[in-house]
Amino acid sequence: MEQAISFERIPTRIFDDSEQASKAVAHEIAALIREKNKEGKPTILGLATGSSPKKVYQELIRMHKEEGLSFKNVITFNLDEYHPMEPDSIQSYVRFMREQLFDHIDIPVTNYHIPDGTLTIEKIPEFCRDYEAKIEKLGGFDFYLLGIGRNGHIGFNEPGSVINSKTRLMTLDITTKIDAAIDFGGLEKVPKRAITLGIDKIMQAKRIVLLAWGEHKAQSVAKAVEGPITSDIPATYLQQHPNTLFILDETAASLLTRIKTPWLVDSVTWDRNMIKKAVTHLSLHLGKPVLKLTSKDYNEHGMSDLLSLYGQAYDINIEVFNYLQHSITGWPGGKPNADDTHRPERAFPAKKKVIIFSPHPDDDIISMGGTFQRLHDQGHDVHVVYQTSGNIAVADDEALRFAEFVVDFNEKFESSNAKANKIYKEAVKFLKNKKDSELDIPAVREIKGLIRQGEAKNTCRFVGIKKENAHFLHMPFYETGTIRKKPIGEADIQLIMDIIEEVQPHQIYAAGDLADPHGTHKVCLDAIFEAIQRLKHREYMKNCWVWLYKGAWAEWDIDQIEMAVPMSPDQVFKKRMGIFKHQSQKDGVVFQGEDSREFWQRAEERNRGTAQIYNALGLAEYEAMEAFVRWKF
Ligand code: F6R
């Protein structure tokens, strides 16, 4: 038996999902607290904010309430706080910690410490020295809970931080600011600086557990775990810590060598998926079409056992080539009266009922506009279900333009319904005086929602579907007026179940975007999965296939794609026109992120990219392609 080769320089555990993983971490913390209590000693914990530790805190609260876990003897120090920052602001880490943990457990107020964002700049150095002195006096951390930034930061120790850095005021890196923009309602509103615990004190902790969830963390995790130690990725310093564990979900682990190219690490089971993954990887890595790969290529790239299984490269090549070929279809709803043995979709029934779930009002056209159009043109009964209003992504001046239009219109034609006019006038007044930290009043949210609804209707008209086939669910989890949403609730799931029951579809398309585990797309997908689980015993569901598309940001890996729908240059252009119907999302959006391209550009580049990869693997050259993965329930 060959020895497994490890590329990992930090112990790492991969869980199926962040829920299970968080519970395991919370249980470790609880065990530590109980042990320390028995010894009559306090437990000194280091804590982080952000999305990563939230479920750990939830489990600790549950254990406090249901199992009597006491925090009376726990002393905590948080990593960081923005500067300047008032403790009761919605973005404050003091507020975060109170809401997520401290207000729900029995920790004495004097036992938790969070850097003070209200200090004047002059007072910060002294505060930092004092913060470290307190930690030292208590003997350092028993346990430190960390997250990791997309740029590899720990705490707000941004790229460039040295291993012995002290607690200090730090200028935030652009990636950190982009990620925080979501909480602050725009990049320009994010504070430039934050007070952060230095790496030195973190490294002195007896135990460190770092959490990472979601595809967007995969890159920094892989670099931290497998890359050389460098100040460019401060988390790489943890390689030198004797007792650190990385806890990951599957998506955050996806770029580790043992997941990405497992045949390089250990012997693998060569099933269809593994063969597809390995051969497409080899072909793209060598820049050679699949049909040109040789036995030497397989032997030299850790795939000699696959080669000996097949005997010759040609047999593997042809098999993978056929898999890829069979995933391509211009008939996403199935080709009527054709042999469908090797087609991604069934030929029967020739006319299918289709639901496209669109988390926001433009995901349908951005992510699968070409397929949407084909489904309609090929005679299927296509329904689009817009899951949320998307209102927070409408800029204030856009809403003001519409509100003023209604007010002016009513005045001009004296056609006012007094109540409606009053509401619109209020909205105009509010928008003209709106402060950065203010949440939209309900009337403004309504106007913003209507703007996006109008745009979605416009796209549906453009594609050609009937007016009554566009459904707007306004899922309640989304309607908080801020970027942070409520957890998914029964009402959300019920809405999805109702529409599925009504349409009884043969095909469901849904956004399978897992990049941000707390983002709208993921919640929308969870609601669909749950609704389908509950409905799967229904007779019509036995004939329902679910296809997942990816959102605006990413594409499926080539080996995962089970249906690729090609587009001609004309179809690409038509899709662009469909995306243009979403005027409020053009010319820079409220939450632009780091990618300054507009949505139509991202969509085109990605669809062209998929076509180019197929071509590089040796398949026909198309202008662009949309890609789907089937979810079997
Ligand atoms: C939080 C902190 C940061 C976060 C990191 C990940 O106190 O210091 O280092 O841990 O940015 O953030 P999330 O968990 O929101 O992805």
Side-chain angles (χ1 to χ4, degrees), residues 354-373:
V354 178
I355 291 183
I356 298 174
F357 280 107
S358 183
H360 297 100
D362 53 359
D363 292 305
D364 53 345
I365 189 78
I366 290 173
S367 296
M368 54 170 291
T371 308
F372 180 6
Q373 188 70 59

Side-chain angles (χ1 to χ4, degrees), residues 163-442:
I163 191 166
N164 58 356
S165 58
K166 301 287 177 220
T167 301
R168 66 206 183 285
L169 187 65
M170 183 87 210
T171 304
L172 296 178
D173 178 67
I174 181 68
T175 310
T176 303
K177 282 169 61 182
I178 286 165
D179 289 348
I182 234 158
D183 289 320
F184 286 88
L187 193 58
E188 66 297 341
K189 295 177 194 158
V190 180
K192 291 190 180 51
R193 289 178 286 210
I195 303 174
T196 184
L197 186 74
I199 297 178
D200 187 47
K201 275 281 159 292
I202 299 175
M203 290 296 283
Q204 286 168 20
K206 296 180 188 80
R207 165 87 167 152
I208 298 174
V209 171
L210 183 146
L211 314 172
W213 326 128
E215 241 174 86
H216 61 306
K217 295 291 175 72
Q219 211 153 34
S220 61
V221 164
K223 286 184 184 160
V225 175
E226 298 188 357
I229 297 176
T230 162
S231 65
D232 292 346
I233 310 282
T236 55
Y237 294 135
L238 297 171
Q239 292 178 15
Q240 292 186 348
H241 187 270
N243 190 16
T244 288
L245 178 67
F246 272 37
I247 299 264
L248 312 173
D249 68 0
E250 282 181 352
T251 50
S254 60
L255 295 180
L256 292 178
T257 308
R258 70 166 139 146
I259 306 292
K260 197 174 161 226
T261 48
W263 53 92
L264 297 180
V265 175
D266 206 350
S267 50
V268 295
T269 310
W270 288 111
D271 58 17
R272 174 199 260 247
N273 288 340
M274 190 62 80
I275 295 172
K276 245 166 103 178
K277 188 176 167 106
V279 176
T280 51
H281 182 272
L282 183 65
S283 159
L284 295 173
H285 176 72
L286 295 177
K288 262 186 182 184
V290 169
L291 292 176
K292 287 190 180 174
L293 293 172
T294 62
S295 301
K296 189 164 170 275
D297 295 331
Y298 282 100
N299 279 334
E300 283 178 356
H301 293 87
M303 291 158 70
S304 53
D305 53 343
L306 175 65
L307 184 64
S308 48
L309 220 61
Y310 277 72
Q312 55 173 344
Y314 179 80
D315 292 343
I316 314 173
N317 297 350
I318 201 83
E319 193 169 307
V320 173
F321 182 85
N322 283 336
Y323 289 153
L324 293 165
Q325 181 67 51
H326 295 154
S327 66
I328 303 173
T329 183
W331 298 85
K335 187 170 186 181
N337 306 318
D339 174 8
D340 57 11
T341 325
H342 294 301
R343 290 177 174 276
E345 249 299 348
R346 303 145 294 170
F348 185 81
K351 301 285 174 230
K352 294 189 172 61
K353 284 183 285 181
V354 178
I355 291 183
I356 298 174
F357 280 107
S358 183
H360 297 100
D362 53 359
D363 292 305
D364 53 345
I365 189 78
I366 290 173
S367 296
M368 54 170 291
T371 308
F372 180 6
Q373 188 70 59
R374 276 194 194 244
L375 287 166
H376 170 73
D377 294 349
Q378 290 168 356
H380 303 289
D381 181 24
V382 184
H383 292 253
V384 190
V385 178
Y386 298 100
Q387 294 180 268
T388 71
S389 68
N391 56 9
I392 51 161
V394 176
D396 291 340
D397 56 354
E398 188 76 9
L400 185 57
R401 183 161 74 94
F402 279 86
E404 270 192 325
F405 175 83
V406 175
V407 171
D408 293 349
F409 178 91
N410 284 344
E411 268 164 21
K412 190 157 182 102
F413 296 102
E414 289 167 6
S415 64
S416 88
N417 159 340
K419 195 172 159 216
N421 210 15
K422 189 164 163 271
I423 294 173
Y424 273 92
K425 276 187 171 155
E426 261 169 36
V428 169
K429 192 165 156 222
F430 173 84
L431 285 165
K432 284 187 170 161
N433 299 299
K434 187 177 164 184
K435 294 193 200 71
D436 282 355
S437 56
E438 252 178 320
L439 290 185
D440 283 338
I441 57 171

Side-chain angles (χ1 to χ4, degrees), residues 48-53 79-80 93 147-149 153-156 217:
T49 54
S51 58
S52 311
L79 278 170
D80 39 28
Y93 285 170
I148 182 170
H153 74 201
I154 45 177
F156 280 137
K217 295 291 175 72

